[in-house]
Amino acid sequence: MSSDISATPTVAHPLRAALVVGALGVVFGDLGTSPIYTVQTVFDPHDPHPIAPTVDNVYGVVSLIFWSVMIIVTVTYVLLAMRADNDGEGGILALMTLLKRWITEINPRVFGILAGLGVLGAALFLGDSIITPAISVLSAVEGLKVVDPALHSWVVPLTAAIVFVLFLAQKFGSGRVGRFFGPVMVLWFAVISILGIRGITTEPGILRALSPMYAFTFVTGHFHIAFFALAAVVLAVTGAEALYADMGHFGRQPISVAWLFIVAPALTLCYLGQGALVVHDPSNLSAPFFLLSPDWAQIPLVVLTTMATVIAAQAVISGAFSVAAQAAQLGYMPRLRLVHTSDRQYGQVYVPWLNWFLMVSVITLVFAFRSSDALAYAYGMAVTGTIAITTVLFFVVARHRWHAPWWALVPSALILLTVDLLFFGANITKFVHGAWLPMVMALAAFIVMTTWRRGRLFVGARRSTLEGPLPDFLVSLRSRQGIETVDGTAVFLNRDPKSAPLAFRSNVEHNRVRHRHVLIVAVQVATVPRIDDADRFVKRDLGDDNPGIDGLTIRFGYAESPDIPATLARYRDLPAGVDLDGATYFLSTVEMRLSDEPGLPTWRKRVFLASSHVASDASDHFSLPREQLVVLGARIPV
């Protein structure tokens, strides 16, 4: 288990190049397509707080967009947050699990607050992952209206069809999707760079907007205007949180290289080009991105833009899979069925249940809002909340991981948090105009995640009472009369190495038999993505008074598939006589039912029981062979 700043493996140059292209195809879709709607949304005349497209305002807005991207994406995420990886995994939950390593150094109440922030940030990201595919694809397909206004009626059904196909493709894995989408995004960034340069030639003076003085003057001199503009400027940084969450898919180095040398320059040119076009003729605000192209290229641009926004949706979908997988392994969501889609990148996962849930939710939003302008008001709240929480958690991690001095951390944190909170405050002004939507989604996800965590601890305590201490059970087993010993090997899976497996207890009490060779296997999930085989197995001494009964703890990283039979086959110190080929696997299970017993509020009990229905089958989760499996357990009132 490495504690280095980056755990991304060293690879050959061709693989790095392939990962850079793959990262372009998965990670940067959202950030890369923001120019389609950001400038247009800032100056939208239908906005509740409209901003006049004067020359000073345009220069100020373009400068504000550029420096917002530099501060939030380049500084907060690429230069800072991505260095705080959890053995290659990124995202808010990765930061939270890093904090667990220093739980003894952090005040328990403070840690509880930080853990709550981490779960809230993950919930906000999941809410954002529903809105992003809808607004991204809608904004691209709306380019048809620039080509021919008569095509307006086709926008919504065509968007829904594209979203449907995108989610169908998820089962192939983000790596394969990235290899297909990567070359498209290379073309996309080349095209928007050329379009940006074309726009700049109409008003070369727009290059002065790269100076931070224009952004500073705009904010300080016209704060009443600039503050409301931030609610739309934030659209330029949407996707930064997906960039961090997707780090486990491709690694820190390929993502950083792609951003610094391809994505950031292309976005800068495109925003400058749109600003120049608006300064040259304010009527271009109707669709500044599409109007950068000559008439003959508009149809090909709409096609390319649609493909790019499908890729933008892919970025947050991949991130949502990563967040859900981490949350499930850390005990904040039910055990979900995961499909690891790459042998080379452990972070590439596909979550079937979440995939179909997101698909239905996204298509519902498309038909409910019907335009990207309507969805834009709802877009910023979740993003800015996630960014602010990431900033807070990163600086706490920096303090405990690298022992950075307070005098250096506090000023830096205050500067970045001020920027984040200004964006969040500006988006609150859009609350009644649609910003409530991601907050409601995030609140629902937060309630489910915290309820599952509390319910799991509650049921775990009840289950421990039923199981009883393992040493006491083994003592009683030796003194029982009429217990037959049958030939063969029994492998009992156990969640807690200190307690007696329910299945073992039930087999003895009801069937009155035990196997000649018994292996009690406890499974533990670590707060790191992967465990080396040298550290994976911990033999437990159950005493000489229990011949034929042995204990073993198997440790898995939270990004690994806990394949018990395959893992046991790699264990070199199996007790004598244990036959894995003919072994019977015993799985302990509990049936939960609603009761009036104290512990959790009734509404939380109902949420917990409802959430349990999406949990994957334990035998599938542990890859237990069905023909060698016996399931025994008990009923627990909740």
Side-chain angles (χ1 to χ4, degrees), residues 205-342:
I206 194 67
L207 292 172
R208 296 197 298 270
L210 293 175
S211 167
M213 290 307 299
Y214 280 90
F216 181 78
T217 302
F218 180 62
V219 172
T220 57
H222 308 84
F223 186 76
H224 62 291
I225 297 176
F227 180 73
F228 293 116
L230 289 175
V233 171
V234 73
L235 298 176
V237 299
T238 55
E241 69 287 356
L243 175 151
Y244 186 32
D246 283 334
M247 188 166 68
H249 291 247
F250 297 97
R252 173 175 166 251
Q253 186 182 34
I255 292 175
S256 300
V257 169
W259 169 254
L260 294 173
F261 295 102
I262 300 175
V263 182
L267 294 180
T268 300
L269 289 171
C270 193
Y271 284 124
L272 289 171
Q274 291 185 60
L277 203 66
V278 173
V279 169
H280 184 71
D281 183 359
S283 66
N284 288 322
L285 272 177
S286 59
F289 174 78
F290 289 103
L291 292 175
L292 281 174
S293 71
D295 293 341
W296 61 266
Q298 284 184 353
I299 292 180
L301 180 61
V302 170
V303 173
L304 178 61
T305 302
T306 302
M307 296 177 68
T309 52
V310 167
I311 298 167
Q314 178 65 51
V316 292
I317 294 170
S318 300
F321 290 161
S322 296
V323 168
Q326 293 179 41
Q329 290 285 49
L330 295 172
Y332 286 97
M333 291 182 71
R335 181 178 57 235
L336 301 171
R337 187 169 76 86
L338 304 179
V339 179
H340 288 265
T341 56
S342 172

Side-chain angles (χ1 to χ4, degrees), residues 444-502:
F446 181 78
I447 289 173
V448 169
M449 293 170 75
T450 54
T451 298
W452 182 261
R453 177 73 171 177
R454 290 181 60 182
R456 184 171 170 268
L457 293 174
F458 178 80
V459 171
R462 294 292 179 90
R463 179 170 175 169
S464 294
T465 301
L466 287 176
E467 292 173 335
L470 180 59
D472 293 351
F473 172 72
L474 294 179
V475 170
S476 69
L477 182 62
R478 293 196 300 270
S479 61
R480 286 176 184 265
Q481 300 297 321
I483 304 299
E484 295 291 333
T485 299
V486 297
D487 290 333
T489 298
V491 178
F492 290 92
L493 266 66
N494 200 26
R495 63 180 187 87
D496 184 353
K498 297 179 181 179
S499 63
L502 277 177

